[in-house]
Amino acid sequence: MKKMTCPDCDKEFTADTPENMMDAMHPHYMSDHKEIIEGATPENKKEWMGKFNEEWEKAESV
Ligand SMILES: [Zn+2]
C-alpha cells in the first residue's frame, strides 16, 4: 500500500496500485473538485496524470 495526498488539497488516500488510487480519488474529486473535472481539457488531464504518476513513484509505502 502507498499513501498519497490529493494533488489539489491535503486529503490523504492509500491504495495498492495506481489504478486503485485513482478509483479512491475519483469520488473525492467528484464531490470536492468537481470544477476541476468539469473544466478539464484533454491537455489538463494529461498534465494531471503526469503529476499523479510522479507522486505515485515518490509516495511512501504504508
Ligand atoms: Zn482533494
Side-chain angles (χ1 to χ4, degrees), residues 40-53:
T41 63
E43 201 52 39
N44 292 148
K45 286 179 187 164
K46 224 169 95 183
E47 220 172 272
W48 191 94
M49 284 301 298
K51 200 158 100 179
F52 175 87
N53 287 324

Side-chain angles (χ1 to χ4, degrees), residues 25-43:
M25 283 186 180
H26 192 248
H28 163 69
Y29 265 82
M30 289 308 283
S31 63
D32 286 33
H33 305 302
K34 207 161 190 265
E35 72 290 348
I36 292 178
I37 293 189
E38 287 178 343
T41 63
E43 201 52 39

